[in-house]
Amino acid sequence: MKVVLSLCFVILLAACAPAPTLTPVPSPVGESPTPTATWTPVPTATATATPMPKLTREDLKSMSVDDKLKMAPQAESAPKDVVSSFAAGESARDITWSGKSLTFWDRVVAYEGTTKSGEKVTLYYDLESGQWAKQYADFDEVSKIPADEAPGVMVVNDENGAHLIRNKLQYDYDWISQPQVMIEGKMVFRDEKGYPKAVFNTNTEKWMTPEEADVVITKEKWIEMLSQYTWVGDDGIKRNGSNFLKDYPGFSKILTTRSEIEEQSIGAHFQVFNPSGEITFWMSQEEAINRFSEGAVIEILYEGMATEPEILAKAAFQQWSVGNKNIFLTFGDVGVSRAKIQGPFIGGVGVKISDIPQIDDGQGHIVSPVVRLPKHARGYNGKSIIVKVFDPVFWLSDYIEAGATSITIDNLP
């Protein structure tokens, strides 16, 4: 029995049809995400700075958060040109450092400090590349970086603010979909959301904007990709995934201005198609505004109507099956408590385990290459709720081993 807490998007996007046969594809296994970051005091300026070599992925995989922070260099050892790019005229020893923490998948160390004038600054050290992140005022400055000096991490400013960007993959698994960093000879530098911010062409040794490199997933590209997944509804009508990006008066609408997003009720269902390849099912209004300003496609679902997330997942899996490993589905939340909800409200949806695209990773795990662990989820075995902490990568295998036959996905923080 399918667990559904919201109305099915049958009228618009077709009734759920039998899932296509998913062919297991074994692939190698790599690392899993690191633990939650903790805050550690930075040594005083009188301490001796110890240069730190870059750490390999294998090193980081076996290290605890505390170990990473202890291995990180002291803030006072940051190069002068790096520090001055954040605070003109300052040296690292002139700044009062208050602490350091991990950010960007727990692989970059952030140092917070205060200059003599009272300005707050944050410096970054990338544990993987062994480099400090220098800040660049805009892409024009980035384009002047010599080919033999291309960094692995940097901070770049644009009309949407400063972005810490890296040229590394989040997951070290060949089977999982994630925003790629090498696309046809183009090294893509992305922020923590996966949004491309700068591209280095390794063939021409020239810098390109993401638009010039054609690595931004626009609305037109989303429509083209999603349209390749088709299904026949219970009414016998053939449909395709491009229906997700169409307006249906009274039911759903693509929002094209910031004011349209701001006008929606608190707790509304925002569904976001990101420039990175991520499809976000539920998002807070504030974050939807931020994503819109950076080029995401924002859809609102009205009157308690909810999309069938498994159809989105199968559309992403169709792309995975033809070699496009950029597309995947995540589940967020509305960003407010139930007490603050206004207007029609979708409390959650239920998805059968069998409707989630899955493969065997060749190492004894049943995994979904295109669906991330839902932010607020509970397993159900037909009799009782299964609540436990699941591995963020091998979560599907964990649910199956726990006896779950379906998952209830909530949208409350």
Side-chain angles (χ1 to χ4, degrees), residues 23-31 171-178 317 320-321 325 358-369 393-394:
T23 304
V25 181
S27 301
V29 175
E31 69 164 333
Y171 300 110
D172 196 17
Y173 302 96
D174 286 345
W175 53 262
I176 197 168
S177 284
Q178 59 185 315
F317 187 77
W320 182 91
S321 300
K325 294 188 177 181
Q358 52 195 261
I359 61 171
D360 187 321
D361 74 341
Q363 301 294 324
H365 302 105
I366 300 300
V367 295
S368 180
V393 173
F394 300 110

Side-chain angles (χ1 to χ4, degrees), residues 369-383:
V370 295
V371 181
R372 299 289 191 268
L373 173 66
K375 193 171 183 178
H376 311 291
R378 294 166 290 152
Y380 184 66
N381 61 11
K383 297 180 180 179

Side-chain angles (χ1 to χ4, degrees), residues 69-89:
L69 293 173
K70 288 176 183 176
M71 286 289 289
Q74 300 170 19
E76 291 81 4
S77 68
K80 186 175 181 179
D81 64 330
V82 170
V83 179
S84 62
S85 70
F86 290 89

Side-chain angles (χ1 to χ4, degrees), residues 57 105 107 128 167-171 178-181:
R57 197 59 87 80
W105 314 330
R107 295 177 198 157
E128 282 189 87
N167 60 354
K168 300 289 188 296
L169 289 171
Q170 181 176 6
Y171 300 110
Q178 59 185 315
Q180 299 296 295
V181 294

Side-chain angles (χ1 to χ4, degrees), residues 2-77:
K2 180 175 180 181
V3 182
V4 180
L5 304 183
S6 59
L7 294 177
C8 181
F9 209 164
V10 174
I11 298 176
L12 310 179
L13 301 177
C16 306
T21 301
L22 309 182
T23 304
V25 181
S27 301
V29 175
E31 69 164 333
S32 58
T34 50
T36 303
T38 56
W39 186 261
T40 301
V42 173
T44 61
T46 57
T48 302
T50 303
M52 176 188 158
K54 70 178 181 179
L55 298 174
T56 66
R57 197 59 87 80
E58 286 300 312
D59 293 329
L60 292 168
K61 184 169 60 175
S62 63
M63 292 173 67
S64 68
V65 170
D66 287 342
D67 287 341
K68 293 176 186 178
L69 293 173
K70 288 176 183 176
M71 286 289 289
Q74 300 170 19
E76 291 81 4
S77 68

Side-chain angles (χ1 to χ4, degrees), residues 53 61 63 75 83 145 192 242 275 283 323 326 335 353 367 390:
K61 184 169 60 175
M63 292 173 67
V83 179
I145 300 174
E192 204 163 359
S242 65
M283 182 175 285
N326 288 283
I353 293 288
V367 295
F390 293 103

